[in-house]
Structure formats: structure tokens, C-alpha cells
Amino acid sequence: MRRDALSSLEVPAAAGAPSGAPRSDWATLARLFPYLWQYRWRVLVALGFLVGAKLANVGVPLLLKRLVDSLSIEPGDPRALLVVPVGLLLAYGGLRLCTSLFTELRELVFAKATEGAARSISLQVFRHLHSLSLRFHLERQTGGMTRDIERGTRGVNSLISYSLYSIIPTLIEVVLVLSLLGAKFDLWFAGITGAALVVYIVFTVTVTEWRTRYRKTMNELDSKAHTKAIDSLLNYETVKYFNNEDYETRRYDESLESLRRAKLKSQSTLSVLNSGQQLIIATALVAMLWRATEGVVAGRMTLGDLVMINAFMIQLYIPLNFLGVIYREIKQALTDLEKMFGLLEREREIDDAPGAPALQVQAGTVRFDNVSFAYDPSRPILHGLSFEVPAGRKVAVVGPSGAGKSTLARLLFRFYDVSAGSISIDGQDIRSVTQASLRQAIGIVPQDTVLFNDTVEYNIAYGRPGATRAEVEAAARAAHIHGFIAATPQGYDTMVGERGLKLSGGEKQRVAIARTLLKNPPILIFDEATSALDSANERAIQAELASAARNKTALVIAHRLSTVVDAHEILVLDAGRIIERGTHARLLAAGGRYAQMWALQQSGSE
């Protein structure tokens, strides 16, 4: 086989997999075993069909020998028509049919096990990735990580297929052929065949291990090129804003050129491997046929024996010819599986406490008690914050960019755990309850709204999957976007594009408001919820938001002070500390930082 099947490629550690020492191949196989164990009866039945197929396959040369020997008559002999071995011919065809039939039955029986194991692993990885912290997802490289999952899933199929359909059948056939050659003829035939197999396997493994570093370099460069392409396309608008199409093309071409050189090195080492394999096989074939021919000439063997030995060698030659590729693919599949299992073993930075109960929301009082936090220990963000959002009240947080306002929302959602202090809801520390129940009780309209590449209805209904069209429309009306949706040709079936790029910033924000209103949780967070809206729409939606927040606990993070004048308490945050607090009127009367910000924004509006 002259092609180097690149069915799967490694990715660099930056793609999200742990950077620790890789596990051994046996450890990876042990990790895969439980997924197959649930299909153990199918595995056993498939192995039965496999043995049946190989017995039929080995029987073909034996029958071919008898067929040739039975035809040892002189040409023109009148008995020629009477001695045509019809039974042997039919048996020969039957064995060929059985070989194919058992092979197909084996694949049919085992397909469910292969696909089922791949599905189980992929689903577990997908769920685990969603359980990892926000920090992991902010640091990941999406293109490389998706390659990990894609190739790991394909690696399950490759590993099972190659081992069950190639390695095990070849071993069974080799054992049967060596046994027959040793029993029926002298040990030279079995010795030559066995020696060739040993030399072939040792050569293949040695050269393949030597080639691994070239393959690894090629795989890493492939992932880097893929990541650059994905990153550039995801940031299409930024590329256009700065007229950098040629720059992005040059960057991508540099990656492709490095990949091309690495592929050439890999191909040259593949040629060395293939040439050596063919030399070993050709040498063994010549030695076997020389021995068989000498036996026929000496009268120790019949012509049928020569044909049988040749047929055996051809049958062994075919799987041997693929052995190098199979070994490479199995090694690559194990590497891909190890990368995907590495994702599974990525520890959850934020995890539920053992036996954690669900959050019980009664009033909905939120309390930050002496909370300190830092994304990086060397750069603290929050310093000993203490405040309370009483049940059914609206508390606003204002301050300059970088003061730590949005961090409060992330901590309340428990995307991160506090470095010191605690956050509680109705007296329950959010670290002691399940994350699912915590997030079910909180709704958020984020500052940066990202939508799914689906319909408008899907994105609004995401706030409460299973909601009816009437409920979706009611939420859209409350968010003042129903009129816009109804005016589009497809209405609620309008596709919003990747990350919602087909909608304006204001339209995306109103969709986000609608889906939060549809969720209808007891605690609401508005993180610059109307920052992308014009003044008229902002005033209209503010009334709806105030109505939606009635009798609910609301934390409002705002830049525009005009949106929080009705808050029960306003906290002024600066450099992670609360420097002022009070109502709008009281803060204006104090003449401090809030009053300065208000005056500045009012003069800007005028």
C-alpha cells in the first residue's frame, strides 16, 4: 500500500489537552475497554464469525491442491471429461462464498459495538467540556480542540476496526498456515515464513517509531494552520475593517508552506518503510517457491503442493502488505484517543461538592460577604466586597471600565469561585449547592450577546426549551423585537447567522432580553443590558425590564447612569472596591464620584 493514510492528526497542547506526560498505549486501551465491555456478546459473536471466515480462507488453498492433483492426466485422454471434479469445484466456490459471508456477518454484528462506543465517548467528552470552567474555555483554541474530538471519535472506529478486522484475523491465519506447513511438509517452510514475519514486524515497528517525530511535527503544523484559518474566518469583520486580507493570506500560506515541507519529509520516510517491507516479502516468497520447486523436482511434493504453498503465501502477503499501514493507523488512533481522554481527565476547576443539594430559593436574597477575587493571583480584581441585594429589590453597580463590575456576575453564576469570603442566596453558600440549580435560578442579559447559528425562535426559546410559539412571541413583544421579526420574510424562522452576525447589536441584545424574560427566573442580572440600544428603544425596554424585575431580585451592572436612577441602592465600584453607596438622590447630594459621573454623562447627552 503506497499511501500514508492520515486518518487522524495530533494537536498541540494549546488546544486544550493537558500537557502532562502521555499515557502508555496499554493505559489508553484499558480506558477504552469499559465502553466495549457493554457489547461483549456482540464481540464474541463477531470473533466467532472471524474464525469461521479464516478457516474458510485457509481451506481454499487446500482444496485448490486437491483440484490440481485430481487433474494429473494426459491431455487427450478419453477419461478427461469423466474425471472433472465437479464436487471440488463447487466446494471451492462454497469456501470463497463462506469467506465473504462470514466477513460481512462479522462487520454487521460488530458495527453496533463500534458506533455505540464512539457515541458514548463523544457524548461524555461533550458533556465534560460543558462542565469545565470559563477559564478553560477562554484559554482554549477552538479549531485545535474540535480536531481533538473529531479525530478521537474517528480513532475509536479505526482502532477497533484495524485490531478486530486486521490484526486478529492475520494472527489467526498465520498460526493456521504455519501449523499446516509444519505438519504437512518439512519445517523449512514454517521456518522461512515465521522468520520473514518476525523480520517484517521488527522492521516495521522500528522504522515507524523513527518516523513518529516527523509525523508529530506534520500533525502539529496541520493543527496550527487549521487554527489560524478558523480564527481568521471567525474574525471576518475585523479583517475587513483593517483591510488585512493579504496579511491573513500570507500568515496562512506560511503555515501551509511549513506543513508542505513536513509532509515531504514524512513521505520520504514512508518510501523507506515501504521499500524495506517489499524487500522482506519478496525475499521470503523467492525462498519459499525455491524450496517448493525443488521438492516437486525431487518428487517429494506434487504440483498441487506447489500451487497450495503459492496460494498460502499470496494470502499471507496481502495482510502483510497492509501491516505497516495498520500499525501506523493503530498507533495514530491510540494517540488521538489519548488526546481525547486527556480532555476527559482535565480537572474541573469548579465542581459540585459531594452530595450537594439543590438550591432552594424562597425570597431570593443575594449577599456578597467580604468577597475577594483574582483571575491571576498577581493581579487582584475585587477587594473585600460586602453588599446585599434584598429579595425583590434592585441594586445597581456602576463604575469605570475594569472596576470589576462584570466579574460580580461571573462569580454569582459560579463561573469562578471566590478567592476569599462567600456569596450566598437565601443564606445558602453557592459553593455548597449544585451548579445546575444555581444557574436555573438566575437569568442574565449579558453585555456581549452571542447567538446560535439557528432561527430567531430557537434563540429566544433557548431561555426555556420547549416553550410554545405563543410564549416566544410574548417574550419578543416584551423585548420590543416582535415587530422587527414579523417584518422579515421568514419571521421567527429567520436564520441569525454564525454568532448572530446577521443581526445588529441592538437586535441581538433584544433577543437576549427576550430569552431571559422567557426563562423567568427569581434572580436577574442585567450586565449593560441596553448598551447597544438607541435612546428611544432603551426607554421603552427599560419599562419592560422594570416590569419583569418586579418582585424579583435584580443586580444591574450599568455604564449609563440614567438606567439605574430607580435602583433601591447604587454601588460605585472603583479598582475592585466600593467607594460609594446609596440611592441616586443621596449620591448626587453627596457630590462624590457618582455625582461627577452623572454630571459628565448629562453634559455629554446635552
Side-chain angles (χ1 to χ4, degrees), residues 11-19 129 132-146 148 227 231 343 346-347 349 373-377 379 410 415-416:
V11 298
S19 57
L129 289 175
L132 293 178
S133 69
L134 180 62
R135 192 190 309 274
F136 168 83
H137 289 281
L138 291 177
E139 293 174 354
R140 76 179 186 219
Q141 291 182 350
T142 305
M145 191 181 70
T146 54
D148 263 351
T227 298
D231 195 41
L343 287 174
R346 187 78 180 229
E347 291 186 7
E349 182 182 343
F373 176 73
Y375 294 105
D376 185 330
R379 193 170 69 90
R410 290 178 171 181
F415 289 153
Y416 301 92

Side-chain angles (χ1 to χ4, degrees), residues 5-10 151 154-155 215 219 329 332-333 336:
L6 300 178
S7 67
S8 46
L9 305 166
E10 290 181 34
R151 292 189 297 235
R154 196 164 55 229
R215 294 264 305 174
N219 294 340
E329 293 306 316
Q332 194 60 50
D336 295 331

Side-chain angles (χ1 to χ4, degrees), residues 506-519:
E507 289 160 356
K508 286 197 296 183
Q509 204 151 33
R510 279 180 281 176
V511 169
I513 292 169
R515 70 183 176 192
T516 300
L517 295 176
L518 183 62
K519 184 179 180 181

Side-chain angles (χ1 to χ4, degrees), residues 277-292:
Q277 290 171 340
Q278 296 305 315
L279 177 62
I280 294 168
I281 290 174
T283 303
L285 277 173
V286 170
M288 289 285 286
L289 290 178
W290 171 79
R291 185 71 180 171

Side-chain angles (χ1 to χ4, degrees), residues 235-491:
N235 291 282
Y236 168 84
E237 289 180 273
T238 304
V239 174
K240 289 294 183 183
Y241 289 151
F242 294 94
N243 197 32
N244 276 340
E245 295 91 341
D246 291 339
Y247 171 72
E248 290 294 328
T249 301
R250 285 196 302 273
R251 286 182 69 230
Y252 186 47
D253 186 48
E254 288 171 3
S255 298
L256 292 178
E257 174 59 21
S258 299
L259 178 60
R260 183 189 69 85
R261 290 195 296 266
K263 282 186 174 181
L264 289 176
K265 289 182 181 178
S266 181
Q267 181 59 44
S268 63
T269 58
L270 174 65
S271 298
V272 172
L273 177 61
N274 283 337
S275 299
Q277 290 171 340
Q278 296 305 315
L279 177 62
I280 294 168
I281 290 174
T283 303
L285 277 173
V286 170
M288 289 285 286
L289 290 178
W290 171 79
R291 185 71 180 171
T293 304
E294 185 186 45
V296 172
V297 172
R300 297 191 308 270
M301 300 171 61
T302 65
L303 191 59
D305 291 329
L306 176 63
V307 171
M308 181 183 71
I309 290 172
N310 188 56
F312 273 142
M313 292 308 296
I314 291 174
Q315 286 185 184
L316 286 180
Y317 170 83
I318 295 174
L320 275 178
N321 196 35
F322 284 84
L323 185 60
V325 173
I326 292 168
Y327 177 76
R328 290 192 299 272
E329 293 306 316
I330 287 178
K331 288 288 289 184
Q332 194 60 50
L334 286 168
T335 300
D336 295 331
L337 271 176
E338 191 269 333
K339 297 290 284 185
M340 191 161 71
F341 285 145
L343 287 174
L344 272 177
E345 291 176 356
R346 187 78 180 229
E347 291 186 7
R348 302 177 185 179
E349 182 182 343
I350 308 299
D351 205 357
D352 291 341
L359 175 69
Q360 301 297 323
V361 181
Q362 297 168 349
T365 300
V366 176
R367 179 169 181 76
F368 282 67
D369 187 10
N370 198 30
V371 169
S372 296
F373 176 73
Y375 294 105
D376 185 330
S378 63
R379 193 170 69 90
I381 302 296
L382 302 178
H383 307 270
L385 262 65
S386 293
F387 66 91
E388 183 176 282
V389 186
R393 296 285 180 149
K394 176 181 177 181
V395 171
V397 181
V398 300
S401 297
K405 303 187 299 296
S406 294
T407 299
L408 297 178
R410 290 178 171 181
L411 291 175
L412 184 55
F413 258 96
R414 210 185 163 206
F415 289 153
Y416 301 92
D417 274 337
V418 298
S419 304
S422 64
I423 303 173
S424 61
I425 297 176
D426 286 341
Q428 303 160 80
D429 192 319
I430 62 173
R431 290 171 294 188
S432 66
V433 300
T434 61
Q435 297 174 70
S437 64
L438 170 67
R439 291 164 188 161
Q440 185 62 37
I442 305 173
I444 185 169
V445 180
Q447 179 179 3
D448 183 19
T449 300
V450 177
L451 303 181
F452 292 95
N453 189 6
D454 211 303
T455 64
V456 174
E457 180 181 13
Y458 176 86
N459 278 282
I460 295 177
Y462 201 79
R464 194 171 81 236
T468 64
R469 170 63 72 89
E471 291 171 327
V472 170
E473 290 184 5
R477 284 190 175 92
H480 288 261
I481 196 174
H482 174 74
F484 161 75
I485 298 171
T488 59
Q490 283 80 35

